[in-house]
Structure formats: C-alpha cells, structure tokens
Amino acid sequence: HYTEEISDKVYERLYEKAVSALKAGHGVIFDGVSSKPAERQRLESIAQENGANFVGLWLEAPLETQIARINARHGDASDADVAVVHAQYRQELGAMTWTTIDAGHTPRHTLEAAMTVLQRKIGEDLQSRGAARS
C-alpha cells in the first residue's frame, strides 16, 4: 500500500493530467478516493481555474458491501484489500461538500443515481449561464 508521500505524488501527477486535459478542451473524470478535504478542494480549484464546470460525487456503501466487493475481485487493477477498506472507513473526511451517492446497491443503481445528479447540475449550470447573458 502507498505511503502518504507516494500517494501525494500520484495525486499530483493526476492533477497535472487533469489540467492538461482541461486546457486541451476535454472533460475530466477523476476517479480517486479523494478522502482529504484538501484533495477535494484541489479538484474543484483545478476545474474553476480552467473554466470547467465541476460536479463532485462521493460514493458511499456499507462497510460489509465494500468488503464483499474487495473479496470478489480477481485480477483487478486496484491494490486495495480489506485492510485498506477498514483504514478508509475509519478516516475522518472533514466537511463533505460533494453530492453523496448511495453505492451500496447494483452498479446500475449507482450509475443512474450519478447520472441524475449530473443531469440536474448541468441543467442548473446551463440555466445560470443563460440568466447571466440576459
């Protein structure tokens, strides 16, 4: 498992890639734990500094569900194991300003919940842009 120093370096590289993609006019989906408030704020700032809309989604599932999913993984890219799940579960998240999604059901349920939030947020952004032009 990563030390905090290695984790910080990995996140820094991912932030750089996000900035590059936004500067090239692409959208970005940042798929990381982002359990620290500073990590979440950094992502929001990157979007704002590059003129991109930002929607933060925080996925939550019961501990038992997370453990069952970890135990069912085979040949997965993630190096997370049950010890990592327990450590993340105990970690203090600080203020959560992102929209929380219940990820304790099927992947389809989680996707539909996320899409509903994204559609609502995009609609709100389009409305506020239209109002700003009026």
Side-chain angles (χ1 to χ4, degrees):
H1 306 289
Y2 299 134
T3 64
E4 189 162 348
E5 180 183 351
I6 295 296
S7 183
D8 289 346
K9 286 181 180 180
V10 168
Y11 269 73
E12 192 58 42
R13 181 67 181 122
L14 293 172
Y15 297 144
E16 291 169 3
K17 287 179 170 264
V19 168
S20 293
L22 290 171
K23 286 184 185 286
H26 300 287
V28 173
I29 296 175
F30 191 96
D31 181 11
V33 176
S34 303
S35 59
K36 299 175 187 172
E39 293 167 344
R40 296 190 298 273
Q41 182 56 49
R42 178 81 183 271
L43 290 168
E44 292 179 44
S45 295
I46 287 170
Q48 184 178 20
E49 291 164 7
N50 289 280
N53 293 336
F54 178 84
V55 179
L57 302 177
W58 182 260
L59 277 56
E60 287 188 345
L63 180 61
E64 304 78 29
T65 301
Q66 294 178 44
I67 291 170
R69 289 175 179 168
I70 289 290
N71 287 333
R73 287 182 177 176
H74 300 287
D76 191 83
S78 174
D79 64 349
D81 59 16
V82 173
V84 170
V85 171
H86 280 285
Q88 289 176 346
Y89 193 79
R90 289 189 304 268
Q91 191 169 2
E92 178 56 44
L93 299 175
M96 180 54 65
T97 59
W98 293 6
T99 301
T100 301
I101 301 287
D102 179 358
H105 302 283
T106 65
R108 180 178 252 342
H109 178 272
T110 304
L111 174 62
E112 289 173 357
M115 291 299 295
T116 298
V117 171
L118 291 170
Q119 288 169 346
R120 187 185 80 236
K121 296 279 189 179
I122 290 168
E124 290 171 0
D125 287 343
L126 290 174
Q127 284 181 340
S128 66
R129 285 183 184 179
R133 291 183 185 150
S134 301

